[in-house]
Amino acid sequence: MPVSMLLDDRDGGQRVQAVSAPFAIILLIKRDSKGTGVQAKIGVFYTAFYGVLAALVAICMWAFLQTLDPRIPKWTLDGSLIGTNPGLGFRPLPPTDNVESTLIWYKGTHHDNYKQWTDALDEFLAVPGLTPGRGQNIYNCDYNQPPPKGQVCDVDIKAWSPCTKENNYSYHKSSPCVFLKLNKIYDWIPEYYNDSSNLPNEMPLNLKTYIGEMEKTQMHKMNTIWVSCEGENPADQENVGPVDYLPIRGFPGYFYPYQNSEGYLSPLVAVHFQRPKRGIIINIECKAWARNIIHDRKERVGSVHFELLID
């Protein structure tokens, strides 16, 4: 700790108090009519001291940055804060002035009213690779044609029809489209439900039927993270009406694992609510289905909730 000392100035008869610094240096400054020399020495000392200190900090920071990879996170999967259970997100999101809201509400035939939702989708989908002519390492993937090393899979926006910009994402027909995306987790590999005879009891019956039909007719597409959207409560299930999923009912397995490759595009599923009941709030819950995706409604893990209201 600093130590205070009283020192005698025998020439001027003045007692000067000096406080020891962390380096145990005691400076005795005598009264000098000019004083400029002492001040200059102090300035040089502190300039050198803080210069050396800044250099040491810069060297430590440089050494630390050498241990980091710009593309590969230091901590992954169970060793990271994100963990191994991806979340599910939806678009369009409500306006930013009400960040806690999850309600999509508009009047079906009023362009100025639903325009905020279609504009939000335009902005969300305006990324490199989804715009024709952009993306230098985009590859046309398929279930039996995964991307080569250094390339990423294309996302075909034409496969979302009628959920396209040219069709106002079907909002003008009171049958809106909502896009689902799975949060990215580095090096996470899904464990697929690719056997119709071994599906969880809580999986919706219509999804089980869909998987069974895919197994019979398109077996090569079974490595998919399946998706379901339905009303949260019995009344919601009656009001939500028929639902279509485009281009397929899930996220294709050839997009995984995510390894932060340049130009990577997250797969999207367009959920088309064809005839939702108007004039009533419909609570909707969407889930992603894989053996290593856990669902927790309270924590919103592996699922997402939103409301739909069309006047």
Side-chain angles (χ1 to χ4, degrees):
M1 295 180 61
V3 179
S4 296
M5 301 182 63
L6 290 176
L7 304 176
D8 286 332
D9 183 352
R10 300 187 183 278
D11 293 334
Q14 182 184 7
R15 296 170 63 85
V16 181
Q17 185 179 28
V19 181
S20 62
F23 305 96
I25 297 176
I26 300 177
L27 295 178
L28 177 61
I29 305 176
K30 296 184 178 181
R31 177 172 294 181
D32 189 343
S33 58
K34 296 182 179 180
T36 55
V38 174
Q39 294 177 3
K41 292 178 181 179
I42 293 175
V44 171
F45 168 77
Y46 279 110
T47 300
F49 172 73
Y50 285 114
V52 172
L53 187 62
L56 289 175
V57 172
I59 292 172
C60 291
M61 182 61 69
W62 176 84
F64 172 74
L65 293 176
Q66 301 311 303
T67 67
L68 301 179
D69 190 295
R71 294 194 179 277
I72 303 175
K74 189 175 183 64
W75 308 104
T76 61
L77 301 176
D78 288 325
S80 68
L81 293 176
I82 298 176
T84 58
N85 203 59
L88 196 63
F90 77 96
R91 296 294 189 279
L93 293 174
T96 54
D97 57 356
N98 192 1
V99 295
E100 295 183 357
S101 174
T102 54
L103 174 63
I104 300 175
W105 177 21
Y106 71 99
K107 295 180 180 179
T109 57
H110 291 68
H111 175 266
D112 292 338
N113 192 264
Y114 66 72
K115 185 176 183 297
Q116 64 169 326
W117 304 105
T118 57
D119 286 349
L121 286 176
D122 289 344
E123 183 179 356
F124 170 64
L125 298 175
V127 297
L130 291 181
T131 305
R134 300 181 70 179
Q136 300 299 319
N137 61 334
I138 303 298
Y139 185 76
N140 291 322
C141 303
D142 203 345
Y143 284 89
N144 54 5
Q145 190 174 317
K149 186 176 181 179
Q151 294 190 296
V152 295
C153 293
D154 189 16
V155 175
D156 185 8
I157 60 177
K158 296 179 181 178
W160 295 332
S161 181
C163 299
T164 59
K165 178 178 181 178
E166 294 74 18
N167 194 45
N168 293 313
Y169 307 101
S170 202
Y171 276 69
H172 65 300
K173 296 181 179 179
S174 299
S175 56
C177 296
V178 176
F179 285 80
L180 299 180
K181 63 184 290 290
L182 200 65
N183 293 347
K184 295 177 288 190
I185 297 181
Y186 188 88
D187 233 12
W188 179 76
I189 300 176
E191 299 174 7
Y192 307 103
Y193 285 116
N194 51 14
D195 182 358
S196 62
S197 63
N198 187 19
L199 300 175
N201 295 330
E202 61 273 16
M203 180 180 283
L205 180 59
N206 59 9
L207 179 54
K208 291 182 179 180
T209 302
Y210 178 88
I211 294 174
E213 293 175 354
M214 291 289 289
E215 189 175 38
K216 294 177 182 177
T217 60
Q218 302 183 67
M219 183 65 182
H220 64 289
K221 294 185 178 181
M222 291 297 287
N223 284 350
T224 298
I225 302 173
W226 309 109
V227 166
S228 66
C229 290
E230 57 183 0
E232 282 193 346
N233 308 303
D236 299 316
Q237 293 171 9
E238 293 180 5
N239 295 329
V240 72
V243 181
D244 195 14
Y245 303 85
L246 305 161
I248 188 175
R249 192 169 178 174
F251 305 103
Y254 51 76
F255 280 91
Y256 303 94
Y258 164 69
Q259 294 183 326
N260 200 20
S261 301
E262 183 179 357
Y264 176 85
L265 302 172
S266 295
L268 300 173
V269 176
V271 183
H272 184 204
F273 297 94
Q274 297 176 336
R275 290 190 302 276
K277 189 172 182 179
R278 300 180 63 170
I280 188 171
I281 293 180
I282 306 173
N283 295 283
I284 298 171
E285 183 179 44
C286 297
K287 294 181 178 180
W289 295 89
R291 297 185 188 277
N292 53 347
I293 295 180
I294 301 172
H295 301 128
D296 189 322
R297 178 176 290 185
K298 182 178 180 181
E299 299 293 334
R300 297 296 176 194
V301 176
S303 64
V304 68
H305 163 93
F306 58 89
E307 305 91 34
L308 189 62
L309 174 58
I310 306 174
D311 288 335

